């Protein structure tokens, strides 16, 4: 675990609390955009799901190959041992080593549409997997936002706790001085000591949270934070919650993935029904024999019609129908879940905005109350406990504002994610993104390894490896 130097740590903490309190600072500090870009570039989860997408792309090529002719070369070598002549005592000797060479070509002429439907099904699966990749991208970027604001929040809390320890140290010294001249009792000194000890404990806890927040940031972004600053303005979302929900239903990748899965299930149901139809295939062979130079060419057409399969075809059809029904129900449930996410994020955002406004008024009033109580205490009109309570209320108000500001930023980006807009393109991060169609276009026609298309595929693979 990386532990920053004390001087560097103090600079980060001081900077964070100023940023949360007053807005953007010098441009040399790290921005939220920087964190989002690095999270996108460094995400192992995105790399994993890109590989899953490439697997789905090749499923299309595999399905398409079933509609193309196949060509195989077959050779066999064989012979028998010499045998004893039963009518004489000598052995007969023959050149009995035989080699055959055969070329076999075959193609499916008719499959009841199953091969064509299988290709369409794999294509829909590719589109569904692309939407799954978009969903993962949203999660990666939202995780980076949450980690970024977590660092700012924890750093600001550390600074707040340090300020509180300094204030309580001064209050303790002042109370001890007043005790020396008989203005307060030993009880007042003990109260000041107790509050200071509690503040020191909370400070150490805040420092621990700060280190944890840095590790969370590293896991989300791929590196440790570097002087993060509070984002300037909040991104635009929607005018109202209904508009946000309508956008989400149209664009959220989870809903679009579920829609593709319904289409895949419907195609699978058609494939299951097509299994009752006959299959017609053509086969051509050319064979030669090395022993007697025998050559033979054959052409044949095979028709296969299922008659009785022990009920398996009917069971597969029922399974496909049930799968179709299940994906339809899943689509409805996913839509409800997305609408719930939108409503929750909208509510959290409104609550955070209200809390910020309230805490600003609370801080203003608490500051006046603390200053007045401390002044009155010097005149003997207030007790030490009154001063400590007023200082604690001011501290709580400042802490609540810090938490509300961080919550507001996370809530607004959570709303974007719920609307399906938490993507590199929508956020205008200005970086090159992964092209999900690049690999698909290279493999969709089942290129051979040594063909021109195969060489183009090699270039695509090398480019993917560099990203």
């Amino acid at each position: 675990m990386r532990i920053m130097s004390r001087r560097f740590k103090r600079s980060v903490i001081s900077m964070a609390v100023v940023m949360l309190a007053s807005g953007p600072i010098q441009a040399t500090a790290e921005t939220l955009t920087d964190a989002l870009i690095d999270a996108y570039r460094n995400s192992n989860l995105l790399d994993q799901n890109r590989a899953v997408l490439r697997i789905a792309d090749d499923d299309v090529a595999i399905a398409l190959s079933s509609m193309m002719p196949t060509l195989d070369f077959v050779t066999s070598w064989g012979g028998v041992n010499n045998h004893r002549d039963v009518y004489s005592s000598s052995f007969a000797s023959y050149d009995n080593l035989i080699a055959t060479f055969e070329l076999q070509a075959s193609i499916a002429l008719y499959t009841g549409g199953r091969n064509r439907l299988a290709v369409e099904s794999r294509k829909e699966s590719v589109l569904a997997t692309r939407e799954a990749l978009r969903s993962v991208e949203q999660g990666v970027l939202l995780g980076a936002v949450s980690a970024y604001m977590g660092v700012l929040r924890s750093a600001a809390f550390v600074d707040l706790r340090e300020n509180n320890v300094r204030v309580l140290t001064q209050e303790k010294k002042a109370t001890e001085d007043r005790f020396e001249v008989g203005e307060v009792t030993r009880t007042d000194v003990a109260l000041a000591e107790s509050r200071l000890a509690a503040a020191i404990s909370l400070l150490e806890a805040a420092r621990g949270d700060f280190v944890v927040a840095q590790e969370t940031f590293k896991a989300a972004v791929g590196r440790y934070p570097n002087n993060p600053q509070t984002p300037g303005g909040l991104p635009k979302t929607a005018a109202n919650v209904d508009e946000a929900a309508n956008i989400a239903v149209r664009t959220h990748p989870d809903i679009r993935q579920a829609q593709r899965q319904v289409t895949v299930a419907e195609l699978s149901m058609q494939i299951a029904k097509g299994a009752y139809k006959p299959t017609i295939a053509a086969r051509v062979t050319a064979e030669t024999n090395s022993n007697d130079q025998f050559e033979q060419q054959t052409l044949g057409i095979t028709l296969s019609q299922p008659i009785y399969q022990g009920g398996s075809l009917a069971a597969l059809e029922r399974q496909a129908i049930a799968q179709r029904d299940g994906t339809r129900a899943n689509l409805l449930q996913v839509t409800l879940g997305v609408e719930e996410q939108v409503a929750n994020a909208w509510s959290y955002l409104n609550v955070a905005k209200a809390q910020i406004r309230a805490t600003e008024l609370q801080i203003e009033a608490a500051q006046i109350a603390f200053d007045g109580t401390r002044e009155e205490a010097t005149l003997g009109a207030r007790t030490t406990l009154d001063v400590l309570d007023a200082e604690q209320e001011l501290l709580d108000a400042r802490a609540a504002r810090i938490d509300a500001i961080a919550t507001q930023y996370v809530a607004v980006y959570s709303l974007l994610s719920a609307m399906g807009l938490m993507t590199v393109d929508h956020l205008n991060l200005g970086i090159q993104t992964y092209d999900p169609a690049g690999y698909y276009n290279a493999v969709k026609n089942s290129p051979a390894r040594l063909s021109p298309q195969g060489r183009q595929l090699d270039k695509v693979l090398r480019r993917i490896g560099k990203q």
Side-chain angles (χ1 to χ4, degrees):
M1 182 180 298
R2 179 178 298 180
I3 304 298
M4 298 191 303
S5 67
R6 185 175 181 83
R7 179 179 299 177
F8 180 71
K9 180 178 177 180
R10 283 182 176 276
S11 67
V12 173
I13 296 171
S14 300
M15 185 181 300
V17 73
V18 171
M19 290 186 293
L20 283 172
S22 60
I25 59 171
Q26 61 265 34
T28 56
E30 176 181 359
T31 66
L32 177 59
T33 297
D34 296 330
L36 291 172
I37 290 174
D38 285 343
Y40 180 82
R41 287 175 173 170
N42 299 332
S43 174
N44 296 320
L45 189 59
L46 281 174
D47 287 341
Q48 175 191 356
N49 282 270
R50 288 164 185 164
V52 171
L53 176 58
R54 293 196 295 274
I55 293 172
D57 292 341
D58 271 308
D59 282 340
V60 176
I62 294 171
L64 186 61
S65 67
S66 65
M67 302 175 63
M68 297 181 178
T70 62
L71 180 64
D72 298 303
F73 171 73
V74 181
T75 181
S76 62
W77 300 72
V80 296
N81 291 328
N82 291 334
H83 61 278
R84 185 182 181 91
D85 192 337
V86 296
Y87 300 103
S88 68
S89 60
S90 63
F91 285 88
S93 178
Y94 300 97
D95 184 8
N96 53 23
L97 182 62
I98 300 175
T100 60
F101 305 92
E102 182 178 349
L103 282 177
Q104 298 178 353
S106 62
I107 186 171
L109 300 177
Y110 178 75
T111 61
R114 296 190 299 276
N115 289 351
R116 178 184 57 80
L117 291 172
V119 172
E120 295 301 319
S121 175
R122 297 300 184 271
K123 289 181 178 179
E124 287 295 327
S125 295
V126 166
L127 297 177
T129 308
R130 288 183 186 179
E131 296 300 335
L133 179 60
R134 283 187 57 226
S135 182
V136 172
E137 177 186 339
Q138 289 207 144
V140 167
L141 296 179
L142 183 59
V145 172
S146 179
Y148 187 93
M149 298 309 301
V151 170
L152 288 178
R153 184 192 340 230
S154 59
F157 272 123
V158 170
D159 187 80
L160 195 63
R161 297 299 180 187
E162 287 181 342
N163 287 335
N164 186 39
V165 168
R166 286 194 292 270
V167 171
L168 289 176
T169 300
Q170 295 172 358
E171 290 294 334
K172 175 178 174 294
K173 186 177 183 304
T175 303
E176 290 174 341
D177 292 341
R178 293 172 65 192
F179 173 73
E180 292 295 332
V181 297
E183 292 184 2
V184 296
T185 67
R186 184 62 188 172
T187 302
D188 295 299
V189 176
L191 285 171
E193 292 175 343
S194 175
R195 287 293 178 91
L196 177 58
I200 293 174
S201 175
L202 292 174
L203 172 59
E204 294 304 319
R207 287 172 175 169
D209 291 340
F210 180 66
V211 174
V212 171
Q214 291 181 89
E215 296 299 328
T216 302
F217 184 96
K218 181 177 182 292
V221 179
R223 58 171 176 79
Y224 286 100
N226 181 26
N227 294 345
Q229 69 172 7
T230 299
L234 297 172
K236 295 181 179 180
T237 54
N240 52 62
V241 66
D242 291 333
E243 180 183 343
N246 290 334
I247 294 174
V249 170
R250 295 194 306 269
T251 63
H252 199 284
D254 288 353
I255 294 178
R256 297 174 68 166
Q257 180 187 8
Q259 291 171 338
R260 297 293 183 183
Q261 289 171 340
V262 170
T263 304
V264 170
E266 290 173 345
L267 290 170
S268 297
M269 187 177 65
Q270 295 180 45
I271 292 173
K273 291 181 178 179
Y276 294 100
K277 297 180 180 179
T279 299
I280 301 175
R283 177 176 178 144
V284 178
T285 63
E287 180 182 356
T288 183
N289 186 309
S290 65
N291 191 26
D292 54 9
Q293 301 300 318
F294 172 77
E295 293 185 2
Q296 176 178 296
Q297 294 82 33
T298 62
L299 171 63
I301 295 180
T302 304
L303 184 147
S304 174
Q305 170 64 59
I307 297 177
Y308 177 71
Q309 303 292 328
S312 63
L313 296 183
L316 290 172
E317 182 182 4
R318 292 193 299 271
Q319 282 185 337
I321 294 173
Q323 183 68 27
R324 189 272 316 269
D325 295 341
T327 55
R328 288 179 175 177
N330 178 66
L331 173 59
L332 296 176
Q333 186 61 38
V334 169
T335 303
L336 288 175
V338 169
E339 291 174 342
E340 180 186 12
Q341 292 176 23
V342 171
N344 290 342
W346 190 272
S347 177
Y348 293 147
L349 180 59
N350 288 337
V351 169
K353 291 178 180 179
Q355 286 179 332
I356 292 174
R357 292 190 296 268
T359 52
E360 288 174 349
L361 297 175
Q362 183 183 2
I363 290 173
E364 182 180 355
Q367 184 67 58
I368 295 173
F370 173 63
D371 294 339
T373 301
R374 185 164 55 179
E375 184 66 25
E376 291 172 3
T378 60
L379 301 176
R382 293 282 186 174
T383 64
T384 301
L385 181 59
D386 293 331
V387 176
L388 295 175
D389 288 341
E391 196 277 335
Q392 186 62 46
E393 288 185 6
L394 178 59
L395 176 69
D396 292 341
R398 289 172 175 170
R401 183 172 185 272
I402 291 171
D403 190 70
I405 291 175
T407 300
Q408 181 186 32
Y409 277 99
V410 175
V412 73
Y413 282 101
S414 296
L415 178 58
L416 279 179
S417 178
M419 293 168 63
L421 302 178
M422 190 68 178
T423 62
V424 171
D425 293 335
H426 183 79
L427 296 176
N428 294 321
L429 298 184
I431 59 174
Q432 182 179 358
T433 58
Y434 180 82
D435 181 13
Y439 184 81
Y440 173 80
N441 291 333
V443 303
K444 64 180 180 180
N445 293 323
S446 301
R449 182 73 178 179
L450 300 179
S451 67
Q453 296 86 353
R455 289 191 290 271
Q456 182 64 29
L457 174 59
D458 289 337
K459 295 180 181 179
V460 173
L461 288 172
R462 286 194 295 270
R463 186 167 65 251
I464 291 173
K466 292 179 181 179
Q467 288 181 341

